[in-house]
Amino acid sequence: MLSASYQKFVAIALLGLALVGCNNEADPNSPEGKRQALFKQMIKHSEPMGGMLSDRLPFDGAVFAEHAQGLAELADQPWGYFPEPGAEPEPNRAKSDIWSDPQGFALAIDTFKARVADLTAATEGGVRGPGQVGDQLRAVQQACKACHDAYRR
């Protein structure tokens, strides 16, 4: 008969091994993984800009403009990684409305890209202060929120 401490050790080891297989991260080479990576890069640009406008970070116009440009460079990229309905075996947070309302989803993407272009245009020639770019960044943030509200769980 096995001792109680040995049984506990075996149970904990088996539980640990089982949890290793419970990784919620998408395969980085899958469409879901590529989308996630691109959206994370977008956040790395948008978060500092939001922090500068909310006074969480000191405002630096040159850094703000660099982040706006970085966001603009990514704005076209993730959309090609949304597969046809049922074509992606990995679970994701997309609502079925992405496929049942393709015109609405396309409009949301176009709105986002247009708001990013507006933000980038506002940074051309330098950014002197938050008032110069605040409305444009809020419009980008609203475009993100509207798309998430409509097409993401």
Side-chain angles (χ1 to χ4, degrees):
M1 179 161 202
L2 298 175
S3 71
S5 63
Y6 183 74
Q7 287 176 341
K8 286 180 185 177
F9 171 77
V10 170
I12 290 171
L14 289 173
L15 180 61
L17 286 174
L19 290 176
V20 167
C22 295
N23 185 355
N24 285 336
E25 291 187 29
D27 173 359
N29 295 315
S30 70
E32 175 75 8
K34 290 176 181 179
R35 280 194 314 269
Q36 286 179 5
L38 287 164
F39 286 131
K40 285 178 185 177
Q41 288 178 36
M42 287 179 172
I43 289 170
K44 287 182 180 181
H45 289 295
S46 63
E47 283 293 318
M49 290 187 291
M52 287 183 212
L53 292 185
S54 68
D55 293 328
R56 284 185 293 115
L57 297 172
F59 189 85
D60 182 324
V63 172
F64 191 99
E66 288 174 19
H67 283 299
Q69 183 59 44
L71 187 59
E73 290 169 5
L74 295 167
D76 286 329
Q77 295 185 31
W79 318 114
Y81 294 108
F82 282 90
E84 293 298 319
E88 185 170 341
E90 295 184 51
N92 59 65
R93 291 189 238 169
K95 291 181 181 177
S96 62
D97 293 351
I98 283 178
W99 297 283
S100 64
D101 180 20
Q103 293 85 10
F105 186 54
L107 179 61
I109 293 168
D110 290 344
T111 299
F112 168 75
K113 291 192 283 188
R115 298 299 82 84
V116 170
D118 293 343
L119 175 64
T120 306
T123 66
E124 290 176 5
V127 181
R128 292 167 299 287
Q132 180 183 341
V133 291
D135 290 342
Q136 292 85 354
L137 181 60
R138 282 186 287 281
V140 169
Q141 293 168 334
Q142 182 54 42
C144 291
K145 182 181 181 335
C147 192
H148 283 203
D149 288 350
Y151 300 106
R152 185 174 186 230
R153 293 174 227 237

